[in-house]
Amino acid sequence: MIVILFGPPGAGKGTQAQRLCDSLGLCKLSTGDLLRAEAASGSDLGRRVQTIMARGELVSDDIMIAMIRKKIAEERANNRGVVLDGFPRTIAQAEALDAMLDEEDLGVDAVIEMKVDDDTLVERIAGRYACAACGAGYHDSFKKPATANVCDQCGGTEFVRRADDSRETVRTRLDAYNRQTAPLLPYYREKGVLFSVDGMQSIDAVESQIQNVLKAEVKGLT
Ligand code: AP5
């Protein structure tokens, strides 16, 4: 099964991708995570993508397509279904993905669009931070650690914020989404694989909506 979680920055793609991995045994491929790992490695490529991401702009299609091709091949070699978080983000990426899957007689089973209004997106992103040790996620308003400045999960006391999570950069990211990524919606609608969920609901409620779509639309899932 190949599922794409689709939506603007902060829509909840990463959160729900992890839940699909846990519930359905899918493998999560997050291009944002892959790029952040490359940046942390200090490689030449990592330094280049770090600058682009910090500005809130999209990394080039060539880099992204090569990166995802390698990862999909690895996961498909293990015969695992894949949930894509953050890819594709342009028509060129979507076409490259279709060509890759076509080589294996596969196609995209479902594209789940998560709809959230812009003010909520900015609020979610500008307030989020994570434990530096274990990566557990928190939010200034919605989810503080039970004890101030101590991670609930591992007891860590250092926290980090993404460099692209400032209010100003979020606006640039939203602009990139509206200009370069939203045009993919008609592309997938025409193929009959686009489904929308209300991303303004609670995390549990959004998960239920997604599970219901997949059960109704993907063969072999009940
Ligand atoms: P990426 O890491 O993909 O970031 P993004 O798309 O901007 O999305 P986020 O990770 O910010 O949000 P999300 O939708 O995953 O939401 P989350 O679950 O975290 O990309 C970063 C950058 O990398 C891009 O700007 C670009 O430069 C580059 N890049 C990546 N892929 C690329 C590609 N294919 N091509 C070119 N460049 C690429 O949730 C957000 C917050 O909200 C969390 O705090 C969460 O707890 C909370 N939350 C989630 N759901 C709910 C809910 N229902 N109710 C309340 N709070 C919620």
Side-chain angles (χ1 to χ4, degrees):
M1 173 166 44
I2 310 288
V3 178
I4 296 173
L5 292 185
F6 193 92
K13 304 181 295 292
T15 303
Q16 296 298 336
Q18 189 55 53
R19 289 191 170 213
L20 286 182
C21 293
D22 297 343
S23 60
L24 299 178
L26 300 178
C27 153
K28 169 182 155 184
L29 287 185
S30 158
T31 40
D33 289 349
L34 293 173
L35 288 167
R36 281 184 285 278
E38 189 68 47
S41 77
S43 68
D44 279 353
L45 174 62
R47 277 195 291 277
R48 274 190 285 143
V49 298
Q50 192 165 27
T51 309
I52 297 166
M53 291 167 79
R55 287 200 299 257
E57 296 166 4
L58 294 191
V59 174
S60 75
D61 288 335
D62 291 356
I63 292 175
M64 297 316 306
I65 290 165
M67 192 174 268
I68 211 76
R69 180 186 298 282
K70 184 165 168 269
K71 284 288 169 188
I72 285 187
E74 282 169 16
E75 294 308 329
R76 292 299 308 154
N78 299 327
N79 217 17
R80 289 182 73 188
V82 173
V83 54
L84 288 162
D85 156 25
F87 186 95
R89 262 171 149 104
T90 63
I91 295 283
Q93 292 180 17
E95 289 174 347
L97 176 65
D98 283 345
M100 274 176 234
L101 296 176
D102 202 38
E103 284 169 19
E104 286 193 68
D105 271 340
L106 292 171
V108 172
D109 292 284
V111 179
I112 313 278
E113 178 198 13
M114 306 170 69
K115 292 189 169 185
V116 179
D117 71 40
D118 283 7
D119 288 346
T120 302
L121 295 171
V122 175
E123 200 54 42
R124 281 186 190 175
I125 290 181
R128 87 175 151 186
Y129 59 99
C131 171
C134 73
Y138 296 97
H139 192 280
D140 290 329
S141 311
F142 311 133
K143 192 184 169 199
K144 298 177 185 176
T147 305
N149 302 321
V150 179
C151 176
D152 296 343
Q153 289 193 15
C154 75
T157 54
E158 286 194 29
F159 295 87
V160 286
R161 287 178 195 264
R162 272 170 50 176
D164 59 346
D165 273 356
S166 68
R167 280 181 189 271
E168 304 71 50
T169 310
V170 172
R171 291 288 174 194
T172 308
R173 288 161 60 193
L174 273 174
D175 188 48
Y177 173 80
N178 288 325
R179 278 186 301 109
Q180 293 167 278
T181 306
L184 282 174
L185 291 168
Y187 178 89
Y188 284 118
R189 190 174 293 117
E190 267 178 36
K191 290 177 181 289
V193 293
L194 179 67
F195 307 94
S196 297
V197 299
D198 177 5
M200 299 286 287
Q201 295 186 13
S202 70
I203 291 174
D204 285 347
V206 175
E207 183 186 8
S208 299
Q209 292 179 71
I210 294 173
Q211 294 279 2
N212 288 341
V213 168
L214 295 180
K215 278 177 197 154
E217 303 297 338
V218 179
K219 275 190 217 134
L221 266 188
T222 51

